[in-house]
Amino acid sequence: RGLEMFTFEAVNTAPVEQLTSFMQFAQEYDLRHIALEPASSALRPRLATKAALKCLQRAEGELLKTEGMKPHVLLDSLKAVVAINPDSEDTEVRTVLLRVMTSTNERLLKS
């Protein structure tokens, strides 16, 4: 479980650009770990929500800027959420994603 805790900490502290790599690691870890311990819970689904929310928070931060917004940061954050592929039933992710998309729409309509 030490490796799992390390991965959770790394996701908490890593830049958004590195989160998809951690998710790939978690996927590979799950394949091997479940083969050794079939009753264990998968790491990737537990990390996906945390990683997706981190990406969405970064996107929200860009959208909150009144000037100097970097569109590529917003786009990269949303691409990362797609790559992370969190559980679509997670209400927190859906709520934040809806907020980001609404804010994006509003920004586009203003310009």
Side-chain angles (χ1 to χ4, degrees):
R1 297 287 175 213
L3 189 54
E4 290 182 16
M5 292 305 294
F6 171 80
T7 307
F8 271 102
E9 268 308 305
V11 166
N12 283 334
T13 59
V16 168
E17 294 81 12
Q18 295 177 355
L19 293 179
T20 54
S21 296
F22 283 111
M23 297 309 295
Q24 290 170 342
F25 165 79
Q27 182 72 33
E28 291 298 318
Y29 175 85
D30 287 344
L31 291 174
R32 286 156 180 78
H33 191 258
I34 290 174
L36 296 171
E37 292 184 42
S40 64
S41 62
L43 176 62
R44 191 183 191 293
R46 292 182 284 144
L47 284 178
T49 297
K50 181 181 288 292
L53 287 171
K54 189 170 182 176
C55 294
L56 290 170
Q57 288 166 353
R58 180 178 178 206
E60 275 188 310
E62 277 304 306
L63 287 166
L64 289 173
K65 292 180 178 177
T66 55
E67 55 186 56
M69 185 184 106
K70 298 174 184 158
H72 71 278
V73 172
L74 174 63
L75 185 59
D76 289 348
S77 297
L78 292 174
K79 284 181 182 178
V81 171
V82 171
I84 290 167
N85 192 20
D87 180 6
S88 62
E89 299 301 313
D90 188 294
T91 55
E92 187 176 9
V93 171
R94 289 175 66 177
T95 299
V96 177
L97 180 59
L98 181 60
R99 240 184 4 242
V100 167
M101 297 312 289
T102 301
S103 296
T104 303
N105 245 358
E106 290 170 357
R107 283 293 281 259
L108 288 171
L109 291 173
K110 285 181 185 177
S111 27

